[in-house]
Amino acid sequence: MGQIHNEQTKLLATGLNNVAVAFVVIGGVTPVTALSFGVASAPSLNLGTVAFALIWFCTGLCLH
């Protein structure tokens, strides 16, 4: 069971890391990129937008 268990643990860790990266990209990188490029449908920069990005970033950080 040793090698099988180790590989399953590594796969689970990789999957959680990929989810964490997706959370950071969706919540942090995408709004900042949209604002910097001036996308018409980008949210305006206010406290709610910053809080939204911070929550997604912190969630990704916790998963990582």
Side-chain angles (χ1 to χ4, degrees), residues 3 8 15-16 18 23 37 42 44 49 52 55-57:
Q3 288 182 343
Q8 288 174 342
L16 283 175
N18 289 339
F23 272 52
F37 283 118
S44 61
T49 305
F52 174 81
I55 289 169
W56 277 84
F57 181 78

Side-chain angles (χ1 to χ4, degrees), residues 7-39:
E7 289 299 319
Q8 288 174 342
T9 303
K10 286 193 272 185
L11 285 172
L12 178 63
T14 301
L16 283 175
N17 190 45
N18 289 339
V19 170
V21 169
F23 272 52
V24 170
V25 169
I26 289 170
V29 175
T30 303
V32 171
T33 304
L35 286 172
S36 67
F37 283 118
V39 176

